[in-house]
């Protein structure tokens, strides 16, 4: 990595590190205390190099189910939530002990999708995390899996890490995983797969290369990491996917060394308003609008609003004000935005010009309105 990209001499930088369950918990189902001790030592070194650290930690369920007597991770939701409740205590205690040994204080921040879906709560979370970092605390952030059903099922701490990185205006977001970066294919299945050290644009080929690398103790795969890196690139934040088994990867990255796969934002990226980052990360998409080639070009090249005439298909049941994904004809997500109308109306309006909509008494409320206004639309890098 170029020295000017991550200058070790620059002060007041913030690094977010996401740690997967498979990195924290070994095949013996024991929490790897040595790994957390090493992380704490890196955090202390990072501070001397002018970097603050925020940790996004998976592992609560993986820590909880063995001590509750389960031979494997259970599948029913009450048991998963019970495991998360017990495991979070174990995990937090070890973080506290190992970071205190380095004379550093940690805090526990548990978030749910409901917290970030509301704009005001999103801003409160931002202010809290920013204040903790300013006070010299290392926040340890996790999903509140004891009450959040969807996030246990889909296990999206990669998106949480991207969200936290945007909340604290991070300079770098690092994912420590059980794989050393992105390959052209899943190296566990394809011996011809080659390593990709640098990504400057995430397109369908990169998404296809991600495949799936989920594990027995984790719930996310490489594809969620790539999608999160794409959002970070849109936000202008560099990210890295690398192995948690690397020797002091965070310190090496802070010093400007090349570790893992680096995702670099486009040089011509425009400043993204915080509200648009919230649209990208704050709430889950409630539906999908598929657009034709002309509409896709208008969104990507001119930053236009999405008009109903450019919509070819509407998926999902949603209301005005809900967050939607915008896809091209292949299903590739181009953008995300807030619906100006509900799914029932947009199904009827799809493919119609404004004069047709204005002349239809069922769609009169949509006359002169886009499906998604450009002010409520974020186009991904």
């Amino acid at each position: 990595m170029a020295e000017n990209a991550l200058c070790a001499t620059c002060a007041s930088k913030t690094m977010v590190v996401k740690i997967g369950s498979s990195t924290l918990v070994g095949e013996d189902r024991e929490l790897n205390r040595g790994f957390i001790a090493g992380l704490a030592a890196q955090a202390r070194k990072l501070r001397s190099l002018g970097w603050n650290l925020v940790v996004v930690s998976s592992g609560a369920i993986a820590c909880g189910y063995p001590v509750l007597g389960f031979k494997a991770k259970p599948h029913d939701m009450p048991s998963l939530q019970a495991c998360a409740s017990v495991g979070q205590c174990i995990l937090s205690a070890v973080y506290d002990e190992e970071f205190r040994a380095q004379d550093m204080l940690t805090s526990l921040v548990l978030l749910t999708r409901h917290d970030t879906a509301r704009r005001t709560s999103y801003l409160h979370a931002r202010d809290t995390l920013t204040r903790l970092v300013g006070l010299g605390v290392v926040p340890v952030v996790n999903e509140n899996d004891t009450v959040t059903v969807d996030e246990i099922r889909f296990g999206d701490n990669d998106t949480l890490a991207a969200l936290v990185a945007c909340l604290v205006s991070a300079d770098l977001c690092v994912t420590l995983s059980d794989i050393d970066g992105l390959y052209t294919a899943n190296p566990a299945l394809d011996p011809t797969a080659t390593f990709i050290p640098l990504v400057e644009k995430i397109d369908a080929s990169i998404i296809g290369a991600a495949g799936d690398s989920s594990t027995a103790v984790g719930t996310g795969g490489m594809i969620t990491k790539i999608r999160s890196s794409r959002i970070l690139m849109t936000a202008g934040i560099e990210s890295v996917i690398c192995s948690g088994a690397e020797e002091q990867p965070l310190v090496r990255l802070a010093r400007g060394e090349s570790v893992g796969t680096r995702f670099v934002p486009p040089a011509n990226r425009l400043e993204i308003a915080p509200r648009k980052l919230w649209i990208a990360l704050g709430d889950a998409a409630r539906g999908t609008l598929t657009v034709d080639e002309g509409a896709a070009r208008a969104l990507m090249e001119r930053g236009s609003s999405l008009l109903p005439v450019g919509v070819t298909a509407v998926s999902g049941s949603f209301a005005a004000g809900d967050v939607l994904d915008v896809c091209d004809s292949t299903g590739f997500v181009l953008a995300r935005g807030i619906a100006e109308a509900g799914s029932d109306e947009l199904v009827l309006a799809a493919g119609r010009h404004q004069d047709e909509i204005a002349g239809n008494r069922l769609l009169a409320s949509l006359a002169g309105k886009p499906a998604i206004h450009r002010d409520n639309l974020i186009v991904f890098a």
Side-chain angles (χ1 to χ4, degrees):
M1 187 178 299
E3 289 287 347
N4 59 0
L6 295 172
C7 175
T9 61
C10 297
S12 302
K13 292 197 171 200
T14 299
M15 182 186 299
V16 172
V17 57
K18 184 265 178 178
I19 308 169
S21 297
S22 59
T23 301
L24 283 167
V25 179
E27 293 183 0
D28 59 358
R29 304 193 302 171
E30 293 291 328
L31 178 62
N32 189 342
R33 179 182 283 268
F35 175 85
I36 296 178
L39 179 69
Q42 286 191 80
R44 184 175 179 86
K45 183 63 177 177
L46 287 172
R47 183 161 294 178
S48 70
L49 295 173
W51 286 78
N52 300 308
L53 185 66
V54 179
V55 177
V56 176
S57 178
S58 302
I61 294 173
C63 287
Y65 79 78
V67 300
L68 286 175
F70 292 100
K71 294 183 179 180
K73 185 168 67 176
H75 298 292
D76 66 290
M77 196 54 60
S79 295
L80 284 171
Q81 291 172 324
C83 293
S85 180
V86 171
Q88 192 63 64
C89 290
I90 297 170
L91 195 59
S92 298
V94 175
Y95 272 113
D96 178 68
E97 292 167 8
E98 296 301 337
F99 274 76
R100 279 185 182 273
Q102 296 291 336
D103 197 27
M104 301 184 77
L105 188 63
T106 61
S107 71
L108 177 62
V109 180
L110 296 178
L111 295 174
T112 70
R113 182 66 84 176
H114 295 298
D115 297 326
T116 59
R118 296 191 299 270
R119 174 72 174 154
T120 52
S121 299
Y122 177 93
L123 295 175
H124 284 310
R126 180 196 65 184
D127 293 343
T128 299
L129 287 167
T130 301
R131 184 59 175 145
L132 285 167
V133 171
L135 290 169
V137 177
V138 178
V140 178
V141 186
N142 196 2
E143 298 271 4
N144 192 353
D145 287 341
T146 59
V147 297
T148 307
V149 175
D150 287 346
E151 293 311 312
I152 292 178
R153 181 174 297 137
F154 297 109
D156 207 359
N157 264 6
D158 298 301
T159 297
L160 178 61
L163 171 69
V164 169
C166 290
L167 286 172
V168 300
S169 299
D171 298 276
L172 180 66
C173 182
V174 182
T175 295
L176 297 182
S177 182
D178 55 356
I179 191 169
D180 54 351
L182 179 64
Y183 285 76
T184 54
N186 189 336
L189 303 175
D190 186 351
T192 67
T194 58
F195 182 70
I196 303 173
L198 178 66
V199 175
E200 296 178 294
K201 181 176 178 58
I202 295 178
D203 54 20
S205 66
I206 294 293
I207 295 290
D212 185 19
S213 60
S214 57
T215 65
V217 294
T219 46
M222 182 59 76
I223 190 67
T224 66
K225 296 171 178 57
I226 299 302
R227 288 171 178 161
S228 298
S229 293
R230 190 180 184 212
I231 293 173
L232 289 168
M233 290 171 74
T234 303
I237 298 173
E238 285 195 15
S239 60
V240 171
I241 298 173
C242 63
S243 171
E246 288 275 359
E247 182 69 24
Q248 295 197 334
L250 306 184
V251 173
R252 290 164 57 197
L253 286 166
R255 287 173 170 163
E257 295 182 33
S258 179
V259 183
T261 298
R262 180 166 63 111
F263 297 80
V264 181
N268 60 349
R269 182 195 64 87
L270 299 176
E271 201 65 36
I272 302 296
R275 173 176 165 76
K276 291 197 174 185
L277 292 177
W278 168 73
I279 292 170
L281 287 160
D283 196 7
R286 307 293 176 174
T288 301
L289 301 182
T290 302
V291 300
D292 60 27
E293 291 185 12
R297 285 196 302 271
L299 295 177
M300 302 294 289
E301 298 173 8
R302 299 196 297 275
S304 303
S305 295
L306 175 60
L307 302 177
V309 68
V311 177
T312 61
V314 178
S315 300
S317 178
F318 54 85
D322 283 344
V323 174
L324 306 178
D325 280 337
V326 180
C327 298
D328 65 15
S329 59
T330 69
F332 185 66
V333 178
L334 303 173
R336 179 171 281 191
I338 296 177
E340 291 287 328
S343 51
D344 291 343
E345 294 173 285
L346 287 178
V347 165
L348 296 175
R352 296 179 185 271
H353 291 278
Q354 287 295 328
D355 55 349
E356 293 181 81
I357 292 173
N360 187 320
R361 63 185 180 84
L362 295 176
L363 298 175
S365 62
L366 273 179
K369 291 173 63 176
I372 301 177
H373 194 279
R374 61 186 296 172
D375 292 343
N376 294 323
L377 182 74
I378 181 168
V379 178
F380 295 128

